[in-house]
Amino acid sequence: MKRKKIGVIVTGLILSGILALSPAVSLYAEDGTVSVYEAEADENLSGQQTGEDESSNQPSDTGNSDIPSDETGDTGNQEDNSDTGSQDDADTSEDPQTPAEDGSDEGQPGDDTQTGEDSNPGDDQTGNDDSDEEQPGESNPGDETPEEPEEPFTGLQEQPDGSWYYLIEGILQDTYTGLVKDTDGTWYYVENGIVNFDATGLIKHVSGTWYYVKNGVMQSDYTGLIKNIDGIWYYIKDGRMQSNYTGLARHSTGSWYYIKNGVVQHGVTGLVKHVSGSWYYVKDGRMQSNFNGLVKHTTGSWYYVKAGKVQHNYTGMAKHTTGSWYYIKNGRMQNNYTGLAKHTSGTWYYVVKGKWNSSYNGVVTYNGKYYTVKNGKKVGTGMEVSQVSMYNKAQQYSSQTKWLILVDTKANRVGIYNGSKGNWTQKYFWVCTTGKSSTPTVKGQFTVGSKGKAFGHGYTCWYYTQFYGNYLFHSVLYEPGSMTDIQDGRLGINASAGCVRLSIGNAKWIYDNIPSSTKVVVY
């Protein structure tokens, strides 16, 4: 601007009067002398503010400094218009202003748009305010309340072409690539300062963390698996890649996959541990929810898996995919165990090194007793040592029926067997009373003959079965006609007149179940 000297030294009173009459003057002090200058408009400024004309220094379109636009009024020279102090609520890239709908921020009420000038309705919009004439409706500048300058805009802002720029104090961050949080809490992927709405995949933030972005927007509500452009699948939780996670993760399809350090392990087949502590069977990284059978762990042990999960609480027999059955205890196959193993059905099986031996027939021990095994399954009840001796003896005899009875007169025991020669199974093993030394029980091989409900004089014996002449199986002695009052109930000794005495229940079982012609061996 040009300055023209038009005044002389005057008193404070005269100067006050002049200033009141002419607002378009300024004071200039030099060497203690006050001079009055008339401000003239510079025709070459084209509306730009130099900072010398303090009375017209209004901010231009606050919030849009340095943003590319189609309008030419904003030159970007805003140094003298900005607030030199930082406001306490200044926005950062973490909490930007909400972008205006038309792509630009609105100024203070009464501001003009995009010109950087203080013009009133009816002005020629040239930016020149050197007219000495007062325009109709124009108020005296001295009567207006000065407006507070606004800080340049920081955050995401839409441009006229529809793109969104990331600005810090009005300056496009064209070297920044990463995530930026909008005022609504949504995070956007910014590439070289511009939101990239075409980006979909994993994006690395400046913090080093990877996030899942879809169409430029961080998917903070997404939890699942996503395939990145590198072809690798990653586990995402709340939009963030879980690089420290190892375990199983559910895909949106419903399938579960094994994750290690946030990456799906497609090359893993075997048993893996979930964060819950449970173990699962995965094949090519995918949990086999339809699999039931045995799976070998990397340690060499085999485990029973049901619906893809190791059954640590299971004890019993389990069928492998090969068709073989194995004994499982607490979910683990007992490959060092040989003996009887109980299945959940209640059936006992004979296993050798953990595997069921379906062809085995014989006697095996279990918890101090002997058991008969037929085709790999336990039959009958457990036997004492004396029972084993009788059992082995029974195998050499044949019978015309499927039943066989042996009587040990020394041990006073009766054995009931079912089956056939060489394949007899003990059904019962009872204590009995055989003949005393003066009237011993006959020894040899006999067959079952007649039967009757009772006999006796002065006593009653119930449910008799004849095996030779007057030698019978019958109950102990009861009072005549009674089934409750026992006259002589001794068992386990040699005390009879030659018959084989039994409890009334056992005598009745032979009476009811053993057919005629059944072989009886007394020794």
Side-chain angles (χ1 to χ4, degrees):
M1 284 186 170
K2 295 183 288 183
R3 299 183 183 270
K4 180 195 252 182
K5 187 170 182 181
I6 63 172
V8 294
I9 300 173
V10 293
T11 65
L13 179 61
I14 296 174
L15 287 174
S16 300
I18 294 173
L19 292 173
L21 292 174
S22 178
V25 298
S26 62
L27 300 180
Y28 177 73
E30 185 176 14
D31 299 329
T33 305
V34 179
S35 299
V36 181
Y37 290 85
E38 179 181 4
E40 293 183 353
D42 191 336
E43 297 293 339
N44 296 322
L45 290 179
S46 300
Q48 291 187 1
Q49 300 297 321
T50 66
E52 297 178 354
D53 189 356
E54 297 293 331
S55 66
S56 62
N57 187 20
Q58 295 293 331
S60 64
D61 190 24
T62 59
N64 278 319
S65 302
D66 294 329
I67 295 204
S69 80
D70 296 333
E71 300 184 22
T72 60
D74 187 358
T75 65
N77 297 325
Q78 298 295 331
E79 288 82 356
D80 293 337
N81 292 333
S82 61
D83 191 350
T84 60
S86 299
Q87 296 183 5
D88 292 339
D89 58 351
D91 296 320
T92 67
S93 61
E94 294 297 318
D95 191 15
Q97 296 288 338
T98 302
E101 293 182 359
D102 60 356
S104 62
D105 284 353
E106 296 179 358
Q108 296 290 337
D111 283 355
D112 295 315
T113 60
Q114 304 298 326
T115 64
E117 300 296 328
D118 275 341
S119 58
N120 289 308
D123 285 352
D124 61 2
Q125 303 297 323
T126 63
N128 298 324
D129 57 353
D130 59 341
S131 174
D132 292 333
E133 296 182 5
E134 184 174 330
Q135 299 296 325
E138 182 178 18
S139 60
N140 191 321
D143 296 335
E144 295 179 355
T145 302
E147 297 179 354
E148 292 293 333
E150 294 184 358
E151 285 190 345
F153 186 79
T154 293
L156 297 174
Q157 189 178 70
E158 187 176 13
Q159 304 305 302
D161 62 359
S163 60
W164 286 76
Y165 284 10
Y166 173 43
L167 309 174
I168 294 181
E169 296 184 354
I171 299 175
L172 173 65
Q173 304 299 299
D174 56 3
T175 63
Y176 178 81
T177 294
L179 296 171
V180 174
K181 188 178 183 181
D182 198 8
T183 53
D184 63 358
T186 303
W187 290 79
Y188 293 85
Y189 173 56
V190 172
E191 189 173 294
N192 297 324
I194 303 175
V195 176
N196 184 355
F197 289 107
D198 294 327
T200 295
L202 287 175
I203 300 298
K204 190 175 184 180
H205 191 34
V206 290
S207 64
T209 303
W210 291 79
Y211 293 86
Y212 174 46
V213 171
K214 185 177 181 180
N215 297 328
V217 181
M218 198 269 278
Q219 304 297 298
S220 58
D221 59 347
Y222 180 81
T223 295
L225 304 175
I226 64 103
K227 187 178 183 180
N228 200 27
I229 56 175
D230 57 6
I232 298 175
W233 288 80
Y234 296 84
Y235 172 48
I236 308 299
K237 185 177 181 182
D238 299 328
R240 180 177 178 178
M241 200 270 276
Q242 303 297 300
S243 58
N244 294 323
Y245 179 81
T246 295
L248 292 171
R250 190 177 185 181
H251 190 31
S252 56
T253 60
S255 298
W256 291 78
Y257 290 84
Y258 175 54
I259 311 298
K260 185 176 181 180
N261 297 329
V263 181
V264 176
Q265 302 297 301
H266 287 293
V268 173
T269 294
L271 298 175
V272 298
K273 190 177 183 180
H274 190 34
V275 290
S276 64
S278 298
W279 289 78
Y280 293 84
Y281 172 49
V282 299
K283 184 177 181 181
D284 298 327
R286 181 177 178 180
M287 197 268 278
Q288 302 299 296
S289 58
N290 295 322
F291 179 83
N292 297 307
L294 296 172
V295 175
K296 189 176 183 179
H297 189 33
T298 53
T299 59
S301 298
W302 290 79
Y303 290 85
Y304 173 53
V305 173
K306 184 178 181 180
K309 182 179 180 180
V310 175
Q311 304 297 301
H312 286 292
N313 296 324
Y314 179 80
T315 295
M317 303 297 295
K319 189 177 183 180
H320 191 28
T321 52
T322 60
S324 299
W325 287 80
Y326 293 85
Y327 173 48
I328 309 299
K329 186 177 181 181
N330 297 328
R332 182 177 177 179
M333 197 265 280
Q334 304 297 299
N335 56 350
N336 293 322
Y337 177 76
T338 295
L340 292 175
K342 189 178 182 179
H343 190 33
T344 52
S345 64
T347 302
W348 289 78
Y349 294 85
Y350 178 60
V351 299
V352 178
K353 293 185 178 180
K355 182 180 180 180
W356 176 42
N357 187 345
S358 60
S359 62
Y360 181 78
N361 294 290
V363 177
V364 298
T365 59
Y366 180 78
N367 287 343
K369 289 189 175 183
Y370 293 83
Y371 293 86
T372 301
V373 174
K374 183 177 180 181
N375 296 326
K377 296 181 182 180
K378 179 182 78 67
V379 291
T381 58
M383 301 180 291
E384 305 295 341
V385 175
S386 59
Q387 295 173 268
V388 175
S389 177
M390 182 180 285
Y391 169 82
N392 290 333
K393 187 177 183 67
Q395 303 308 316
Q396 61 183 300
Y397 297 102
S398 61
S399 175
Q400 297 180 41
T401 69
K402 64 179 181 178
W403 295 99
L404 173 69
I405 300 177
L406 269 67
V407 180
D408 184 348
T409 59
K410 183 177 181 180
N412 284 290
R413 293 293 187 270
V414 171
I416 308 296
Y417 298 91
N418 179 257
S420 60
K421 183 179 180 180
N423 195 29
W424 294 108
T425 299
Q426 178 180 283
K427 178 71 174 177
Y428 296 113
F429 190 74
W430 299 324
V431 63
C432 69
T433 291
T434 57
K436 57 191 175 187
S437 58
S438 59
T439 55
T441 302
V442 64
K443 296 178 178 62
Q445 297 182 38
F446 315 99
T447 56
V448 170
S450 62
K451 297 182 180 182
K453 187 172 183 182
F455 72 92
H457 299 282
Y459 60 88
T460 299
C461 293
W462 299 96
Y463 305 111
Y464 67 86
T465 298
Q466 184 230 7
F467 61 89
Y468 177 72
N470 292 327
Y471 292 92
L472 314 170
F473 293 104
H474 60 73
S475 73
V476 295
L477 279 61
Y478 283 81
E479 293 296 335
S482 175
M483 285 189 174
T484 57
D485 297 331
I486 297 176
Q487 189 178 102
D488 185 352
R490 293 175 297 169
L491 292 172
I493 62 173
N494 299 104
S496 75
C499 291
V500 180
R501 296 179 186 177
L502 298 165
S503 69
I504 190 171
N506 292 341
K508 186 176 186 302
W509 190 92
I510 292 177
Y511 175 84
D512 289 337
N513 296 281
I514 298 299
S516 297
S517 302
T518 295
K519 180 171 284 189
V520 177
V521 179
V522 181
Y523 62 97

